[in-house]
C-alpha cells in the first residue's frame, strides 16, 4: 500500500473522529436545575428525581447539573425540607441550558419548629430532648382512618401507650409515666384526680399540629413527669379575606354493618382583613354501634358506640403593628355516649363482655363539656430585643363516669363525675445577648395557676372533696451556643403550690353512714426546685446527637389518696409529690434518602404512684421507681412514588421496697413493646395510598393467685397485629375524596387494656373492620 493511501485513510479516520466528537458535543444536553425559594434564595440539599430516579441533590448555589442527552420528555420532582414538593412535566424540545424551579414554603415546614419545648419558636435540631411533631398533612392521613385522637396519637407517637378503643385513655402513659396535655398551652389534664379523659379533649379537625415532648420537663408545671402533648389549633395562614373547608363523611363496618353507620361533618372558615386574622370552625362526629371481628356488639363499659363528638373553635388575632399583636381563642368540646345497649359481663380470659339491648339509668357517660378560653398579647420589640408573651386562660372541664348498680367504694348505686376549673396567667420573656462571643438567650417568666377539682356523685354525695390549688412558679431557661453547632441549655423552675381542702367526711361504705370517716381539712404545701440541662451538637445532619437531664413535678392522684383516707387529719396522709429525674441520650440522622432518630432514657423517682390492687381497690403505691426504655424511628424516600418507614418503642419499670425487693410496675403504667410501619405510594400528583401496620407485643410479668385470678391491672398481654389502609384522590384544588379502612383484615382481638385489666367487665374486644368515606371541599 502506498504512502499516499495510508495518509488518505488516516485523514479519513481523523475526520470521522472529529465529526463524531463534534456531533456528540453538539447533541449532548446538560441542564442545570436551579432551585430557589420565593425570595430567590438558593435551596441547598434539594433532592432531584427524574422519572422516579434520584439524580442527586442541589449544591450550596441551589444547582444540580443533569445530563439530559439520553432523556426525553420527563417528570421532574423536587423535594426539600420545609418546602412543598414540586412535580412538573419537562418537554425536552423546550429545554434550555438551565431550568429554574421555585419551591413554596410548606406550612408543614413548621414541623421543624417547636414551640412547646422552650416556650419560644426554635428549630427541632437545637432541642436536647426527644420530640415528635405531627403536622397537619399527617393528621389528615390518619383522619381518613379514624377521628379518635387517642388512636391517632398512639399510631404516630413512639413511647405513648396503645390506644384503648374507649372514651378514656387509661394506660396511655408516655414512657411509663403520666403526661400533661395542653391545648395551645392551656392545661387539660387533671393531675389532682386523673380522670383519663385529657387526651380526648379536642377534635382532630381543629388541630393544626401536635407537639409531643417526651420525658420530664422542668419548664412546665404539675403533671408533666412523662412528657407533654400540646395540641396547636388551626390558624389562618393565607392572605385571602375569606375561605374555608367543608368535610362530609360516613363510617360503617363492611363485614357486619347492622347499626354501625356513623357520620362526620365539619365546616371551617378563615381569612384576613387588614390587621385582623380569624379562624372559626365546628365539627360533629357520630359513631354507630361498634362490633368486633365476629360481629358481636362490643361491651359498653367506657365504650365509644353511639358516641357524639362535638367541637367548636374560634380565634381572632389583631396585629397592632409589625411586632405586637393580640389574640383571643375559644375551643369547646364534648364527647358523650348515648348508649343503646348495656353490657353483658363475660369471663376474663374466656368469653368477652358484649353489648345487649338495654338502657343505663344514669346520665350519658363521657366528657359533657370542656371549655377553653384564652387572651394573649405578644410584643417582640421590647428592651434589648426582648420578646414578651402574656397569656390569661380559663378551662372548665367535666367528665362523667358510667353508672354502676352497685358501687365497690360506696354504698348502693351511683355515678361519679370529675369537675375541674382552672384559670391561669403566664408571663414569658425571651432576651438574646452575647457573652464571651457566644450567642445566648434567656427565657424567663412566671406561671400562676388556680386549679379547683373535685369528684362527686350525681345524687349529691361527695366522693372526693374540693381541692383548691394555687401554684406560683417562676422559671428561667438559658441557651448558649458554646461553639459553632454545640448548643447548651440549662434551666430552673421553683414550684410553690398550696392545696386547700376543707373538712370532709369520706363516703359511706354501708347503710346509716357506715364506714365514713371525718377528716379535718387544711392546707397541703408543695415546694420544690426543679433543674434541667442538656447539650446538642447539630453540625452534621448525618449525626445530630444530644444528651439531657430534666426533672418533673406532679401532685399525682391526691384525690385518690383523700377519698381512701383512714386518718382524721391531712398531715397523717401520704400526700408528698412525685419528683422525677429523667436522663436521656439520643440522636437524629439524615443522609441520602434516609432519616433516623433514636434515644435511650432512664426515669427515676423516690416516690411513685403506681396504682396497685389492695383488697379490690386501686391504691397509690409510694415506693421508689425506676423506668427505662428506648425508641427508634426510620424513614426512606425510595423514589417520588414510594416512601417507607417505621418505629419501635420499648419501656420497662419497677418499684423497689424497703427490704430491697423489686416488683414490676403493672399494665396501667407500662405498655408492651410497640412497633409501627408504613408504606406511602404516590403514583401521580392526584392519587396517594397509605398502608399502616400496628403491632403491640406481649407482656407477662405477674402470677395468678391460687384461684387462677390476677390482680387488677396485672393480667398477661398477648401480642396484637393490625393493618390500616387509606387512599386520597385530589380531583383539583377544591375537591378531595378519601377512603380509609381500620382493621383491614377484620381481626378479632382484645386491646391491651382489656387484657391487662384482668376484670370480667373490662374484658372487651377491639373494634372490627371500619370503613371511612370522606369528601372535602376547599374554597
Amino acid at each position: 500500500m502506498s504512502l499516499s493511501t495510508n495518509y488518505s485513510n488516516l485523514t479519513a479516520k481523523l475526520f470521522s473522529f472529529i465529526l463524531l466528537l463534534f456531533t456528540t458535543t453538539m447533541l449532548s444536553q446538560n441542564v442545570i436545575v436551579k432551585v430557589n425559594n420565593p425570595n430567590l434564595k438558593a435551596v441547598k440539599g434539594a433532592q432531584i428525581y427524574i422519572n422516579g430516579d434520584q439524580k442527586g441533590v442541589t449544591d450550596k448555589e441551589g444547582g444540580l447539573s443533569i445530563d439530559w442527552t439520553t432523556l426525553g420528555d420527563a417528570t421532574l420532582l423536587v423535594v426539600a425540607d420545609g418546602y412543598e414538593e414540586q412535580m412538573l412535566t419537562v418537554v425536552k424540545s423546550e429545554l434550555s441550558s438551565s431550568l429554574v424551579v421555585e419551591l413554596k414554603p410548606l406550612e408543614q415546614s413548621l414541623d421543624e419548629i417547636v414551640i412547646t419545648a422552650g416556650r419560644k419558636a426554635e428549630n427541632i435540631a437545637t432541642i436536647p430532648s426527644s420530640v415528635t411533631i405531627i403536622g397537619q398533612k399527617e393528621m389528615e392521613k390518619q383522619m381518613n382512618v379514624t377521628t379518635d385522637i387517642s388512636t391517632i396519637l398512639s399510631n404516630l407517637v413512639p413511647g405513648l401507650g396503645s390506644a384503648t378503643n374507649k372514651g378514656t385513655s387509661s394506660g396511655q402513659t408516655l414512657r411509663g409515666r403520666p403526661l400533661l396535655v395542653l391545648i395551645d398551652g392551656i392545661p387539660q389534664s387533671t393531675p389532682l384526680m386523673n380522670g383519663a379523659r385529657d387526651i380526648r379533649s379536642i377534635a382532630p379537625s381543629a388541630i393544626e399540629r401536635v407537639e409531643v415532648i417526651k420525658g420530664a420537663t422542668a419548664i412546665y408545671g404539675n403533671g408533666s413527669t412523662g412528657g407533654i402533648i400540646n395540641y396547636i389549633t388551626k390558624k389562618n395562614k393565607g392572605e385571602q379575606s375569606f375561605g374555608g373547608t367543608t368535610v362530609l363523611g360516613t363510617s360503617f363496618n363492611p363485614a357486619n354493618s347492622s347499626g354501625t353507620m356513623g357520620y362526620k361533618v365539619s365546616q371551617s372558615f378563615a381569612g384576613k382583613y387588614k390587621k385582623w386574622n380569624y379562624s372559626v370552625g365546628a365539627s360533629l362526629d357520630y359513631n354507630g354501634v361498634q362490633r368486633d371481628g365476629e360481629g358481636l356488639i362490643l361491651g359498653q363499659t367506657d365504650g365509644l358506640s353511639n358516641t357524639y363528638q362535638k367541637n367548636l373553635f374560634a380565634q381572632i388575632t389583631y396585629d397592632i403593628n409589625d411586632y405586637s399583636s393580640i389574640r383571643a381563642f375559644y375551643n369547646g368540646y364534648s364527647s358523650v355516649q348515648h348508649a343503646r345497649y348495656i353490657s353483658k359481663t363475660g369471663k376474663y380470659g374466656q368469653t368477652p363482655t358484649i353489648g345487649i339491648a338495654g338502657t343505663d339509668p344514669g346520665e350519658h357517660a363521657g366528657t359533657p363539656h370542656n371549655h377553653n378560653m384564652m387572651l394573649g398579647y405578644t410584643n417582640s420589640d421590647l428592651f434589648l430585643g426582648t420578646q414578651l408573651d402574656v397569656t390569661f386562660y380559663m378551662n372548665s372541664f367535666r367528665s362523667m363516669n358510667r353508672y354502676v348498680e352497685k358501687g365497690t367504694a360506696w354504698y348502693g348505686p351511683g355515678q361519679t363525675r370529675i369537675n375541674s376549673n382552672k384559670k391561669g396567667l403566664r408571663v414569658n420573656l425571651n432576651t438574646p445577648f452575647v457573652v464571651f462571643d457566644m450567642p445566648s438567650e434567656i427565657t424567663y417568666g412566671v406561671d400562676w395557676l388556680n386549679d379547683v377539682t373535685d369528684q362527686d356523685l350525681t345524687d349529691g354525695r361527695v366522693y372526693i372533696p374540693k381541692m383548691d390549688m394555687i401554684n406560683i412558679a417562676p422559671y428561667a431557661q438559658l441557651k448558649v451556643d458554646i461553639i459553632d453547632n454545640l448548643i447548651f441549655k440549662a434551666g430552673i423552675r421553683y414550684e410553690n403550690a398550696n392545696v386547700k381542702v376543707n373538712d370532709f367526711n369520706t363516703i359511706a361504705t354501708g347503710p346509716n353512714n357506715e364506714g365514713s370517716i371525718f377528716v379535718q381539712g387544711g392546707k397541703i404545701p408543695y415546694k420544690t426546685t426543679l433543674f434541667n440541662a442538656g447539650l446538642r451538637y447539630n453540625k452534621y445532619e448525618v449525626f445530630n446527637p444530644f444528651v439531657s437531664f430534666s426533672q418533673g413535678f406532679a401532685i399525682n392522684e391526691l384525690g385518690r389518696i383523700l377519698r381512701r383516707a383512714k386518718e382524721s387529719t391531712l398531715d397523717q396522709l401520704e400526700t408528698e409529690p412525685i419528683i422525677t429525674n429523667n436522663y436521656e441520650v439520643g440522636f437524629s440522622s439524615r443522609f441520602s434518602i434516609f432519616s433516623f432518630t433514636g434515644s435511650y432514657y432512664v426515669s427515676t423517682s423516690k416516690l411513685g404512684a403506681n396504682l396497685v390492687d389492695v383488697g379490690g381497690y386501686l391504691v397509690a403505691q409510694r415506693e421508689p421507681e425506676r423506668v427505662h426504655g428506648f425508641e427508634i424511628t426510620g424513614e426512606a424516600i425510595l423514589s417520588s412514588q414510594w416512601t417507607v418507614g417505621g418505629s419501635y418503642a420499648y419501656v420497662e419499670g419497677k418499684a423497689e421496697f424497703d427490704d430491697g425487693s423489686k416488683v414490676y410496675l403493672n399494665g396501667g403504667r407500662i405498655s408492651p413493646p410497640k412497633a409501627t410501619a408504613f408504606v406511602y405510594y404516590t403514583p401521580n400528583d392526584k392519587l396517594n395510598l397509605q398502608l399502616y401496620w400496628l403491632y403491640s407485643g406481649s407482656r407477662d410479668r405477674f402470677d395468678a393467685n391460687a384461684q387462677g385470678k390476677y390482680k387488677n391491672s396485672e393480667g398477661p398481654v398477648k401480642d396484637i397485629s393490625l393493618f390500616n389502609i387509606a387512599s386520597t384522590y385530589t380531583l383539583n384544588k377544591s375537591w378531595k375524596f378519601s377512603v380509609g379502612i381500620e382493621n383491614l383484615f377484620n381481626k378479632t382481638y382484645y386491646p391491651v387494656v382489656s387484657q391487662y385489666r384482668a376484670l370480667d367487665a373490662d374484658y372487651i374486644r377491639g373494634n372490627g373492620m371500619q370503613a371511612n368515606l370522606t369528601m372535602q371541599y376547599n374554597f
Side-chain angles (χ1 to χ4, degrees), residues 565-621:
K566 300 297 183 182
E567 307 294 343
S568 59
T569 59
L570 294 180
D571 57 7
Q572 293 176 289
L573 304 179
E574 292 187 69
T575 59
E576 293 86 355
I578 301 170
I579 308 298
T580 58
N581 299 309
N582 190 79
Y583 310 86
E584 184 172 8
V585 58
F587 74 95
S588 63
S589 175
R590 289 183 183 177
F591 63 94
S592 183
I593 63 173
F594 303 101
S595 61
F596 299 95
T597 68
S599 64
Y600 175 80
Y601 58 88
V602 176
S603 175
T604 64
S605 60
K606 292 182 179 179
L607 290 175
N610 192 39
L611 299 178
V612 296
D613 188 339
V614 178
Y617 300 102
L618 288 177
V619 178
Q621 181 177 272

Side-chain angles (χ1 to χ4, degrees), residues 488-520:
F488 170 74
K489 281 190 171 185
I492 186 172
R493 178 184 175 95
Y494 177 66
E495 298 283 356
N496 181 16
N498 285 279
V499 181
K500 180 182 178 182
V501 180
N502 293 329
D503 296 349
F504 69 97
N505 291 282
T506 61
I507 198 165
T509 56
N512 302 316
N513 212 33
E514 178 183 318
S516 178
I517 296 175
F518 172 78
V519 180
Q520 183 179 355

Side-chain angles (χ1 to χ4, degrees), residues 625-636:
E625 295 177 350
R626 184 184 189 274
V627 178
H628 69 276
F630 65 89
E631 299 163 6
I632 55 174
T633 70
E635 182 177 309

Side-chain angles (χ1 to χ4, degrees), residues 204-221:
S205 59
I207 298 173
E208 178 179 287
R209 56 195 259 114
V210 184
E211 299 181 356
V212 183
I213 314 300
K214 288 174 278 188
T217 172
I219 199 169
Y220 284 89

Side-chain angles (χ1 to χ4, degrees), residues 241-253:
S241 60
F242 181 76
T245 299
T246 304
V247 176
L248 298 173
T250 186
S251 60
F252 58 94
N253 184 323

